[in-house]
Amino acid sequence: MTVSEQLRNAIENSGLSRYRISQDTGVPASVLSRFVAGGHGMRSENIDTLCKYFGLELKKRSSRKRN
């Protein structure tokens, strides 16, 4: 699952309105709506803000050993 998909899921499954998320984070509700609809990406600052808000972080998968 991509980072964008995880963030969309967090927004959709939070039980919070986009207006509430917008008020809490400063990310415009219109930006959230377009992002969730899959029509547009988001600026990295907004992604960082939303990931922090939802407690999401990017982690590297453990690498496979090569022979």
Side-chain angles (χ1 to χ4, degrees):
M1 183 180 293
T2 68
V3 172
S4 294
E5 290 169 334
Q6 291 178 54
L7 188 51
R8 281 186 186 97
N9 285 339
I11 293 167
E12 290 179 322
N13 297 321
S14 68
L16 301 170
S17 68
R18 292 185 189 121
Y19 177 79
R20 176 79 265 157
I21 296 168
S22 175
Q23 293 298 300
D24 290 347
T25 64
V27 176
S30 59
V31 170
L32 294 170
S33 293
R34 285 192 303 268
F35 176 72
V36 169
H40 297 285
M42 249 194 296
R43 292 176 23 177
S44 61
E45 296 85 9
N46 290 338
I47 291 171
D48 291 344
T49 297
L50 290 168
C51 284
K52 184 175 181 182
Y53 181 74
F54 288 110
L56 301 173
E57 59 183 36
L58 183 63
K59 291 188 178 183
K60 183 178 179 181
R61 292 183 190 169
S62 59
S63 58
R64 297 180 187 180
K65 293 184 179 182
R66 296 181 183 197
N67 293 339

